Amino acid sequence: MGTIKLQNIRIFSFHGCLEEEGKIGSDYRVDLEIKTDLRKSALSDDLKDTVDYVLLNKIVEEEMAIRSKLLEHVANRIIIRFFKQIPSVSRVILSVSKLNPPIGGDVEAVTIEMEEYRN
């Protein structure tokens, strides 16, 4: 087994429970870690034998573009797509952070983290 990580994916999106969040948007950070078998690609040096980082990033960008009230909801959609589109992924750890959240305090970020295993 092996691990692939994409760290600090920066995205501007429109998530949140407040109506104005859907209008003005906010900056987000997504970090992900997937478990997959990297032995074949380590020997073959061929992209078809591994999980394409470009596809991982594309899934994150597409799902982050769909408005959700809760970070948990958008994170769950991302995880579902990873498992659906990439059969070799056995585990996902995903965190979604809203930077400078409108919560009435001096808070750098609010982050949720989810971990799921393939059934």
Side-chain angles (χ1 to χ4, degrees):
M1 292 304 282
T3 303
I4 295 175
K5 297 179 183 182
L6 271 67
Q7 298 171 301
N8 201 21
I9 302 169
R10 293 174 300 280
I11 297 175
F12 187 84
S13 194
F14 298 88
H15 306 297
C17 293
L18 303 175
E19 188 177 323
E20 57 266 21
E21 291 176 296
K23 295 176 182 175
I24 62 172
S26 186
D27 291 310
Y28 293 83
R29 182 184 72 233
V30 177
D31 297 287
L32 68 95
E33 177 179 310
I34 64 157
K35 289 287 186 187
T36 189
D37 190 343
L38 297 177
R39 292 174 288 192
K40 186 174 182 181
S41 60
L43 295 173
S44 72
D45 195 29
D46 195 325
L47 181 59
K48 72 175 176 47
D49 293 330
T50 193
V51 176
D52 188 348
Y53 320 145
V54 173
L55 177 57
L56 293 171
N57 189 64
K58 179 182 179 210
I59 290 170
V60 168
E61 288 180 344
E62 289 175 355
E63 292 301 325
M64 287 294 291
I66 301 168
R67 179 165 162 65
S68 290
K69 292 177 185 173
L70 301 177
L71 299 179
E72 296 90 323
H73 189 258
V74 70
N76 189 60
R77 287 198 323 263
I78 293 167
I79 291 169
I80 288 169
R81 285 222 19 222
F82 285 162
F83 286 138
K84 184 177 180 180
Q85 289 186 238
I86 311 167
S88 63
V89 171
S90 61
R91 185 184 89 184
V92 177
I93 300 173
L94 180 81
S95 65
V96 180
S97 302
K98 179 183 281 191
L99 307 179
N100 303 309
I103 61 174
D106 186 13
V107 178
E108 181 179 330
V110 171
T111 302
I112 63 98
E113 182 175 278
M114 297 176 71
E115 179 176 4
E116 295 291 337
Y117 293 82
R118 181 178 293 283
N119 293 333

